[in-house]
Amino acid sequence: MDTITHVKNKINFIKEEDTPWRQESMNPPPYHGVMKGIAKGVHIGDPLYDAIERSTLLCAIHNAGTLPDTEPPAWVDWGEVREGQALWRDLVGASFISLSGSLILGYSIERFSEVLLASGYGKSPAIAYERYMATGFHLQDWMRFDLEDHKSDGRRSLKQIRAMHAYARAKSMELGIVKSEENGVMLSQYDLAETLLGFSAVSIDIIQYAIKNIPAEEQRKMVAVWRLIAYFLGVTDEYNVCKTLEFNKECFMDWHQWSRLRMLSIPKSGLELQRIVVEGFGVNTPPSHQFFYGYTALLYKQFELRYETTLPVEPGCPKPLPGVVEFLTLMMPLLGYTPLNRRIRSLMYRDRDLFYSDPEAFKVTRKKKQRAARIAGTVFWPFVSFAYQFVFHGYLLAVVLCYYGVRCLL
């Protein structure tokens, strides 16, 4: 496995005193770089799917056969796309972690969190988990199946998600989330581009920093996959942040300058969603609550260390036990090993296939995972915390004894 290069990126974060913009306005930040052009898409939705009757969209979410298809773009390189899909599959464990991190940090964006809350993601941890599990199955389909085949599960899935976006867009406008004409429309081309950054640049950045290095040529292919996925989801190339790897990075850096200000002003809806999603995953996945408490704290901690800044805010979920963050910091690079990713991938594919083909067997598997989560929460993580405190305090005690021992000798 490649050695991780912990680069402390120097980013000139926008400060409160530098701008009158506040995200509660629901407007995009006043970008100065390439994202300025992307932000113009805030008034544009998806004309093709927005014209479909809402009842049809609702039915099509479960049966994509009635939805219009989009012809593949002239610029697509199918060989590059397939190689990019394979790279994402080979990093499925690392991708799950990086995308979880992108999601947790993404709740600091008010336009994002308000739409999710209005769409029912904040009703309960159980409902949130169900919905994110379904999203995870869609992500698997996009990387697992041939996107050139318009009858494949991957293309079917893309049409379903596009229909869900159109339905949620109409519902959000109906609920009055938009405060002024300047806000444009929810789930606009800009919002989808911002989400696309989370799936591409932010995800790759987290993997690069915490798990393993990815060569530039591989990153290029991984980004190319998301350019095509975004196209099939209705994002026009004018607002597609994945046109090239270089453009993707440029968009990310321009967007990222506003991250600290977003995190300092995370809305109540964002904090509530953080708490709910962590509770949902904590109950239903073997790593359990402490893993997600620790991972959320680790994201905030690494943000401060990496960019040599401070974040005087607390996440929406409880603090982890002592030692959990330190343990996760040491363990993250293991997700860069191919054999471990293959094992995780086989388990994820099994869950997805059982969900669709054998619901009863899937329920049995879920109960096993819930039981494993309870064991991890009551046995494994308390042991990790105890071991950490024993070693840490034992080390301090040894230093103190040595100090006084030397003084006595002198």
Side-chain angles (χ1 to χ4, degrees), residues 7 27 92 106 112 142 184 188 214 249 290 313 320 355 362 377 387 392 394:
V7 180
N27 295 327
V92 68
F112 179 62
W142 301 347
S188 64
I214 305 174
K249 288 181 178 292
Q290 285 299 321
V313 291
F355 180 80
F362 178 79
F392 180 69

Side-chain angles (χ1 to χ4, degrees), residues 139 148 254 276 286 288 295 315-316 341 385:
L139 287 170
E148 187 175 10
D254 192 22
I276 286 173
S288 84
Y295 182 49
N341 278 283
S385 181

Side-chain angles (χ1 to χ4, degrees), residues 282 285-292 294-295 320-332 334 369-389:
T285 61
S288 84
H289 291 88
Q290 285 299 321
F291 173 88
F292 292 101
Y295 182 49
L321 294 171
V324 171
V325 171
E326 290 75 11
F327 179 81
L328 292 179
T329 303
L330 293 173
M331 293 297 106
M332 281 295 171
L334 291 177
K369 290 196 292 185
Q370 291 172 339
R371 186 162 57 248
R374 289 194 295 271
I375 293 171
T378 55
V379 179
F380 178 75
W381 291 114
F383 173 77
V384 167
S385 181
F386 171 78
Y388 168 80
Q389 293 179 83

